[in-house]
Structures are given as structure tokens and as C-alpha cells.
Amino acid sequence: MRKYIFGGNWKMQLPTIKLATETARLIADLMSTVKGVEAFIAPSPNTLFEVGKTIEGTDLKLAAQNMHFMRQGAFTGEVSIEGILEAGCEFVLLGHSERRRIFLENNEDINKKVKLALDNDLKVVLCIGETAKERFDGLMAKVNTDQLSGCLEGVNGNQLKNLIVAYEPVWAINNMYLNPGIEIKAATVEEAIESHKIVRGWFDEIYGVAVADKMRIQYGGSMKPSNASELLRQEDIDGGLIGGASLKADSFIAIMNSI
Ligand code: PGA
């Protein structure tokens, strides 16, 4: 049995320590109403340390939204693994579509980050997903499996116990910079089932059935209390990576409680 896992990706939406710690405290307090799930929040880097202190000792875990692939050095504006471990992070999001498409990270960069994290016992939430055009052109499976093979190059099956995949179709992410001019909506259950099967199938083919069976695959992209339960009922959907609906404690908790 795979345990459901939910992540709140706060992006740059709760940008001050006051906003971030208040929201974190509310969510942490309400975690007592949720049973049988694992949950983390990924606050802005400048708030990470204080949020970490706020939720220390609660059931809510801490994630960073990104990190550099080097431990230390002359990299203006970047965040080191040392800093995020010091802040108390158990997880790091890597390869989010906003990083790939707005900040032009490629699979090779992400692969270096994945290895650095896994080698240092930091759990990775590896985000993958195709754009609307790629899906329209029939490239959904290829784009996602290429991202998996590029980002996981040289990672062995044993290390994958510390990896979670977030399948987030770019066209479903509530972000007008990623999706100019298109109507943004969550994947239908059928679309999500098809993609999640492809992702699990890739793990089966490359790493074998034991790894594939244990791999937790989150769905992300406009998940909210009104559509969560139908998505989460599907065999290959093991939780959610949630942006907008994780910024308010009650909607984030309602999503978790819809399992
Ligand atoms: P959204 O974002 O839930 O606001 O669509 C999800 C994500 O980008 O992780």
C-alpha cells in the first residue's frame, strides 16, 4: 500500500515570514483532522527557516522549492542544499515546470540536483509534465518519459525509495505565464489515469515491478477540493502537488480529507 502524499507548493505567493508562518501554523494545527497521509509545504526560500521552526515537531513536513546542483560557490541568487537541510527540509521539489519553462532548467541540470539530493538523504519530488502543444502533437508519453530518463540518469533503484514523482501537465497548472491564452483546467480523470499509467509503466520497464509498485505519483495542476476526490480515487494517483489551493489551510486540508 502506498501512503498518500500531499504537497503545498507555495511558489512566491506567501512572500513574507508573517504570511508564511501564519499559514503554516494553521495547516499544522489542522493536520490532526487528517488521517493516513503524509504532507509537506514548500514555502519561499526567504521564509523557509522560520516556517521550519513554526512546524517543527508537527505532522507537517518542510520542502524547498528548488536548489542548486553545487553545494557552495559563486552562484549569485541560488540556494544551497546545505541551507535547505539547515532549515529542516525533508523534501526538495525539482524540475517544476516553472523552473523548466520560465527559468530554462533542463534535464541535465535537474539530474545533477536529483543526485545531490538523494546522495544526501534529501527526498526528491521530481516534477514532470507536457505542454498543451506537446499533448496536441501526440508527444505526451514521449515528453514525460524523456524527462524521467534524463532526470534520473545514473540513479539506482535503491535510491528511488526517496523519490516521489509529481505528474503536472503544464496546461493544467494555474499559471498564465506558462499558459498564455489558453483556458487552464485540471486534467480529466481519464487524462490523468492515462498519464499516471505511462509514468508507472516507465518505472516498471526501467527499474522493475517492485520499484514501480512502490513509486508514489502525485497529480498536480488545478487540484482543488471540488475535483480532488475523483482524481485521488484512481489506482495510480497517490496524492497531489497543490499550488493555489494550498495557500489557504481549509482548502489544503479539505483536499487531503477527500481521500
Ligand atoms: P496549481 O499549481 O495547483 O495552482 O495549478 C500546481 C503546481 O504548480 O504545483
Side-chain angles (χ1 to χ4, degrees):
M1 259 300 267
R2 298 182 293 265
K3 191 171 191 175
Y4 280 102
I5 180 158
F6 292 90
N9 177 8
W10 288 358
K11 310 189 179 185
M12 207 173 71
Q13 307 279 30
L14 298 172
T16 63
I17 289 173
K18 182 173 189 303
L19 277 174
T21 52
E22 279 172 7
T23 309
R25 194 183 311 278
L26 286 174
I27 296 171
D29 284 350
L30 287 170
M31 282 302 294
S32 60
T33 68
V34 184
K35 296 281 163 290
V37 312
E38 198 174 356
F40 63 81
I41 47 174
S44 291
N46 60 304
T47 68
L48 208 48
F49 197 82
E50 290 298 327
V51 172
K53 281 201 291 195
T54 302
I55 63 175
E56 201 176 350
T58 73
D59 287 340
L60 186 59
K61 298 172 176 178
L62 191 66
Q65 296 178 9
N66 186 29
M67 66 177 203
H68 197 266
F69 54 75
M70 298 285 282
R71 279 181 176 279
Q72 198 175 339
F75 302 104
T76 302
E78 288 293 323
V79 176
S80 159
I81 188 169
E82 305 280 1
I84 64 179
L85 288 171
E86 185 178 50
C89 287
E90 185 173 329
F91 299 88
V92 61
L93 309 185
L94 294 176
H96 189 277
S97 286
E98 286 152 17
R99 300 300 317 169
R100 292 177 188 266
R101 315 269 170 181
I102 303 174
F103 298 101
L104 308 182
E105 282 184 20
N106 59 34
N107 289 335
E108 216 177 300
D109 299 329
I110 299 162
N111 178 238
K112 291 186 204 152
K113 298 178 184 201
V114 167
K115 286 180 179 158
L116 180 66
L118 294 178
D119 285 347
N120 289 279
D121 295 323
L122 181 61
K123 294 176 186 158
V124 170
V125 180
L126 175 62
C127 307
I128 60 169
E130 81 289 350
T131 62
K133 177 164 189 324
E134 288 162 346
R135 175 169 275 261
F136 183 79
D137 290 344
L139 296 173
M140 182 273 280
K142 177 168 170 22
V143 169
N144 284 290
T145 54
D146 282 356
Q147 289 181 356
L148 287 170
S149 33
C151 297
L152 295 177
E153 164 99 48
V155 174
N156 68 48
N158 192 36
Q159 292 180 294
L160 292 182
K161 61 181 186 306
N162 283 332
L163 187 112
I164 289 133
V165 175
Y167 168 67
E168 300 197 295
V170 178
W171 44 272
I173 297 179
N174 195 2
N175 183 329
M176 63 184 184
Y177 303 106
L178 289 179
N179 295 304
I182 71 163
E183 189 201 344
I184 301 168
K185 51 180 188 324
T188 63
V189 171
E190 293 71 28
E191 287 165 337
I193 291 174
E194 184 193 10
S195 305
H196 281 242
K197 269 203 190 332
I198 287 167
V199 173
R200 198 174 306 287
W202 182 86
F203 281 100
D204 189 358
E205 192 186 318
I206 305 297
Y207 289 99
V209 67
V211 168
D213 274 352
K214 289 202 192 92
M215 184 57 58
R216 290 186 290 177
I217 307 171
Q218 297 177 312
Y219 168 80
S222 299
M223 188 182 257
K224 40 187 180 260
S226 58
N227 62 18
S229 111
E230 211 188 356
L231 287 161
L232 294 166
R233 212 175 301 136
Q234 309 308 321
E235 193 187 318
D236 286 313
I237 303 183
D238 306 307
L241 185 58
I242 298 132
S246 72
L247 301 173
K248 291 260 181 295
D250 51 355
S251 60
F252 190 35
I253 294 289
I255 290 174
M256 295 190 224
N257 271 326
S258 66
I259 59 168

